[in-house]
Amino acid sequence: MPTRPFVMWPDKRLRTPAAPVEAITDEIRATWDDMIETMDAMPGVGLAGPQIGVMLRLAVVDASDERGKAIRMANPEILHASVKLRAHEEASPNLLGMSAGLERPRAVTVRYLDEAGEEVEKDLVGLWATSVQHQIDHLNGRMYFDNLSKVKRSMLLKKAQKRR
């Protein structure tokens, strides 16, 4: 399975909401396979379609210690989020060398279409929950740094620009 190249910030595709997936096809399944291969090569715990130029609401998440437990999601959406927050240092291969500490809900219930085209509701906790929220941000045309204060976001982007 091939890895896919990353779309690099500030490519406008990273600011464009992804289109809904109409049906789970063999092409969608192959794209998920490529996404998992690309995610594992980073290495990372999640990847969204727009990060590799696929402008569909596709995401994969694997926060397992042993790997190989990736959840394939089409059209994921958060149904419920815990009030309790979890701090985590987030980054993106689309903006290399940068990261920021964020707090997101510690647990979420997410609904999505799986590889069989079935609608699934799944509760995710900890890094799994953080990653799925991060991927849904990408699907909505948002980056992790959009969750920072205006001052922190500006500082991070200026630093990133100097590194380029």
Side-chain angles (χ1 to χ4, degrees):
M1 292 179 278
T3 61
R4 303 257 189 126
F6 293 105
V7 171
M8 298 312 290
W9 177 260
D11 190 297
K12 66 180 178 169
R13 289 174 288 183
L14 295 171
R15 288 296 196 200
T16 304
V21 174
E22 299 299 325
I24 305 303
T25 63
D26 287 342
E27 184 179 344
I28 294 293
R29 291 183 193 94
T31 300
W32 271 326
D33 290 343
D34 289 353
M35 290 172 71
I36 291 168
E37 187 78 15
T38 303
M39 172 185 67
D40 287 344
M42 279 192 282
V45 295
L47 190 66
Q51 293 183 270
I52 56 170
V54 175
M55 298 309 295
L56 293 171
R57 294 187 71 79
L58 294 173
V60 294
V61 174
D62 188 349
S64 64
D65 290 333
E66 63 277 0
R67 306 304 281 188
K69 305 234 186 247
I71 301 171
R72 294 162 168 83
M73 295 179 266
N75 305 328
E77 60 180 316
I78 303 289
L79 299 178
H80 306 287
S82 67
V83 174
K84 186 172 183 181
L85 300 179
R86 175 183 182 275
H88 186 72
E89 190 76 12
E90 295 190 32
S92 175
N94 307 99
L95 188 65
L96 287 175
M98 302 280 90
S99 66
L102 295 176
E103 286 190 337
R104 294 186 188 259
R106 185 188 73 79
V108 295
T109 301
V110 63
R111 178 171 50 211
Y112 59 92
L113 295 177
D114 69 8
E115 55 269 21
E118 300 293 322
E119 190 173 278
V120 174
E121 286 187 18
K122 190 169 190 76
D123 294 325
L124 299 172
V125 179
L127 187 54
W128 289 89
T130 299
S131 183
V132 77
Q133 292 170 81
H134 181 109
Q135 305 324 314
I136 290 173
D137 277 355
H138 277 300
L139 297 176
N140 292 333
R142 293 177 48 86
M143 296 282 288
Y144 70 93
F145 52 76
D146 291 323
N147 296 308
L148 296 172
S149 70
K150 188 175 181 179
V151 171
K152 286 184 179 178
R153 181 174 53 247
S154 178
M155 287 171 47
L156 184 134
L157 291 175
K158 282 180 185 172
K159 187 176 175 183
Q161 191 170 357
K162 283 182 183 176
R163 293 186 113 192
R164 267 188 289 181

